């Protein structure tokens, strides 16, 4: 769990280039944000905001735990702040828009091209309740254990287990024709 | 064979089961077509999810440049008020190239320490760091966690260079804050302390940081942290104690002893026949309860049952 690059952050052991941390973690941070937000532009914005926040908060980071987990924590918190900050009206409009898009799509019973199936999966993941989506994304796409997810999301091990199970149940139902 | 309802297929799939339990599930799966199908379905769902592509990530150079730009933009306005423009630019470049984390870490150590000698030693080390160390202190004071901000303020206020002290005074005046009134807050008194619990349990896993983690958890638990924080700590300790992994049990035991979690003592009875931990568990029970039923689990259970009623 200890990031090699952060060992050098301990007192008396020198320093590390932040640039290097960005380079090492940007792809994963971006992918994580993309799966949370479902939008490329917002993923880039959110992940960059996360790096800036991580830089600002570095003095309060003791450096012994994983930078990766810590960055996930920051990104989830920023993402939740944004969700909270977004006006209800906007959220309603967005829901209506995605519903309209769904209706406009070809019937789901037919054989879908890989790209279409990918888009459908992405959409179904995006439809999950926030906590379920966060747990699922961290587990499936970033391969964090239940315990690690509990740390990132500041919840209990059982919360992780239950939410992951609920997410899978919902996705199995939504995607039953393809599973 | 276990009934299908009790088979933790998802935990098995996720690799979360201890070896013995996983083996039991494996045996069940070999004999139960229905559960094997469920596992297969789970694997197919995982494959389907993983196949969904992520939008191509941005180019590394562009991305890094944009992060740098945002970093400068978010900090520049206030720096300009403090320093001549050229010095600010040079400082920003220094800060960007390498993070002087030694100073930042020392500030944290300062905030956590209650020993005047340690604090003086840290102050001296930081003051010897010259202008780069001052730059970090000023940055921590502006953007760090509350404890770190307060500590950085104190260290700056005691800096031997009058120009540094003057700058601090100007800055705090500008922000309507009184430099004389810095107060250090101990771990366990901030509303945001719950964020530390997860980190502390994480640190507990490594022998290198275990001692620190126990100290942080003790401080949080005994130092007036709010109820949710204390509950999270107790839950964590209980989870370790009741885990099937001896190393976790040992950590749980250490927490119970260090934090004197008396209401978890009954859970220690189960460890009285654990080969590696029975002596320790017995010692903690005797120490905390001031009585000795040896390793007689039944006797201890009767005793704790009696206490509950």
């Amino acid at each position: 769990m200890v990031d090699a690059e952060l060992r050098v952050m301990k007192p008396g052991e020198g320093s590390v280039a932040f640039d290097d941390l960005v380079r090492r973690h940007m792809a994963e941070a971006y992918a994580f944000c993309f799966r949370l937000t479902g939008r490329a532009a917002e993923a880039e914005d959110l992940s960059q905001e996360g790096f800036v926040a991580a830089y600002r908060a570095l003095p309060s980071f003791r450096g012994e735990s994983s930078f990766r987990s810590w960055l996930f924590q920051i990104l989830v918190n920023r993402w939740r702040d944004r969700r909270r900050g977004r006006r209800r009206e906007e959220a309603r409009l967005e829901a209506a828009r995605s519903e309209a898009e769904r209706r406009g799509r070809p019937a789901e019973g037919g054989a879908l091209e890989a790209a279409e199936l990918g888009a459908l999966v992405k959409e179904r993941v995006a439809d999950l309740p926030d906590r379920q989506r966060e747990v699922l994304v961290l587990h499936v796409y970033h391969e964090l254990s239940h315990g690690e997810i509990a740390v990132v999301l500041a919840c209990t091990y059982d919360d992780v287990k239950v939410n992951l199970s609920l997410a899978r149940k919902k996705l199995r139902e939504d995607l039953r024709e393809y599973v | 064979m276990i009934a299908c309802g009790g088979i933790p297929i998802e935990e098995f799939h996720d690799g979360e089961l201890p070896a013995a339990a996983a083996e039991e599930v494996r045996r069940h799966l070999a004999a139960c077509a229905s559960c094997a199908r469920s596992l297969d379905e789970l694997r197919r769902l995982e494959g389907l999810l993983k196949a969904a592509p992520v939008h191509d990530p941005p180019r590394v150079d562009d991305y890094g440049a944009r992060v740098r730009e945002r970093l400068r933009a978010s900090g520049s306005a206030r720096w300009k008020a403090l320093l001549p423009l050229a010095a600010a630019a040079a400082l920003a470049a220094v800060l960007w190239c390498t993070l002087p984390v030694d100073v930042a870490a020392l500030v944290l150590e300062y905030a956590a320490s209650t020993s005047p000698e340690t604090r003086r030693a840290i102050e001296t080390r930081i003051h010897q760091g010259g202008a780069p160390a001052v730059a970090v202190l000023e940055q921590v004071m502006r953007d760090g966690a509350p404890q770190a901000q307060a500590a950085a303020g104190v260290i700056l206020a005691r800096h031997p260079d009058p120009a540094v002290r003057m700058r601090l005074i100007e800055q705090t005046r500008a922000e309507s804050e009184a430099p004389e009134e810095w107060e250090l807050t101990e771990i366990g008194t901030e509303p945001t302390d719950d964020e530390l619990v997860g980190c502390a349990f994480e640190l507990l896993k490594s022998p290198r940081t275990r001692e620190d983690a126990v100290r942080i958890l003790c401080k949080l638990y005994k130092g007036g942290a709010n109820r949710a924080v204390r509950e999270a700590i107790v839950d964590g300790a209980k989870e370790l104690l009741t885990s099937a992994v001896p190393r976790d049990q040992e950590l749980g035991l250490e927490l119970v002893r260090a934090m004197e979690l008396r209401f978890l003592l009954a859970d220690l009875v189960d460890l009285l026949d654990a080969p590696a931990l029975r002596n320790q568990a017995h010692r903690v029970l005797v120490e905390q309860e001031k009585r000795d039923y040896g390793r007689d689990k039944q006797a201890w259970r009767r005793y704790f049952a009696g206490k509950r009623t």
Side-chain angles (χ1 to χ4, degrees), chain B residues 256 259-266 287-290 303-304 307:
Chain B
V256 170
M259 290 191 273
E260 297 170 356
L261 298 173
R262 298 184 66 83
F263 45 92
L264 287 186
L265 287 171
E287 268 170 26
Q288 302 286 330
E289 291 299 315
K290 312 280 184 258
Y303 163 69
F304 282 114
K307 270 184 88 173

Side-chain angles (χ1 to χ4, degrees), chain A residues 1 14-16 19 35 44-45 47-48 55-56 58-59 64 139-141 146 157 165 168 172 179, chain B residues 10 14 16 41 44 49-50 52 54 63 66 68 70-71 74 96 99 102 108 139 143 202 209:
Chain A
M1 280 300 291
S15 60
V16 68
D19 229 357
R35 286 188 165 110
E44 186 168 341
D45 185 53
S47 58
Q48 286 175 0
Y55 178 86
R56 295 272 175 238
L58 264 172
E64 291 97 337
H139 178 72
V140 173
Y141 297 105
H146 295 191
Y157 185 91
S165 192
R168 282 170 165 158
R172 266 203 306 268
V179 174
Chain B
E10 289 189 47
D14 297 342
E16 293 286 329
E41 195 183 72
R44 282 202 305 274
L49 293 173
K50 282 192 167 155
V54 170
Y63 186 92
R66 281 196 289 273
R68 274 196 296 277
R70 290 174 78 147
L71 204 50
S74 67
W96 176 251
L99 284 178
D102 286 7
L108 275 183
Q139 195 201 356
D143 297 317
E202 194 59 37
T209 50

Side-chain angles (χ1 to χ4, degrees), chain A residues 31-96:
Chain A
F32 179 57
C33 294
F34 182 80
R35 286 188 165 110
L36 283 184
T37 63
R39 293 187 194 85
E42 191 170 2
E44 186 168 341
D45 185 53
L46 181 65
S47 58
Q48 286 175 0
E49 189 181 308
F51 278 115
V52 172
Y55 178 86
R56 295 272 175 238
L58 264 172
S60 62
F61 177 61
R62 289 181 60 97
E64 291 97 337
S65 68
S66 154
F67 179 79
R68 184 173 174 248
S69 296
W70 188 57
L71 185 60
F72 280 142
Q73 271 176 26
I74 291 175
L75 293 171
V76 166
N77 289 338
R78 296 267 150 175
W79 165 237
R80 288 178 183 167
D81 286 349
R82 285 185 179 202
R83 300 275 293 179
R84 270 196 291 273
R86 209 170 271 171
R87 286 179 303 139
R88 282 186 186 177
E89 190 56 31
E90 202 178 309
R92 268 207 299 274
L93 279 174
E94 200 172 290

Side-chain angles (χ1 to χ4, degrees), chain B residues 16 52 97 160 187 230 249 260 303:
Chain B
E16 293 286 329
C97 293
I187 286 177
R230 291 204 307 277
Q249 293 172 343
E260 297 170 356
Y303 163 69

Side-chain angles (χ1 to χ4, degrees), chain B residues 2 33 41 56 90 109 158 193 202 209 212 214 217 264 283:
Chain B
I2 333 166
E41 195 183 72
D56 287 342
E109 212 177 316
R158 293 181 183 164
D193 276 342
E202 194 59 37
T209 50
D212 277 345
V214 172
L217 287 168
L264 287 186
R283 201 163 46 240

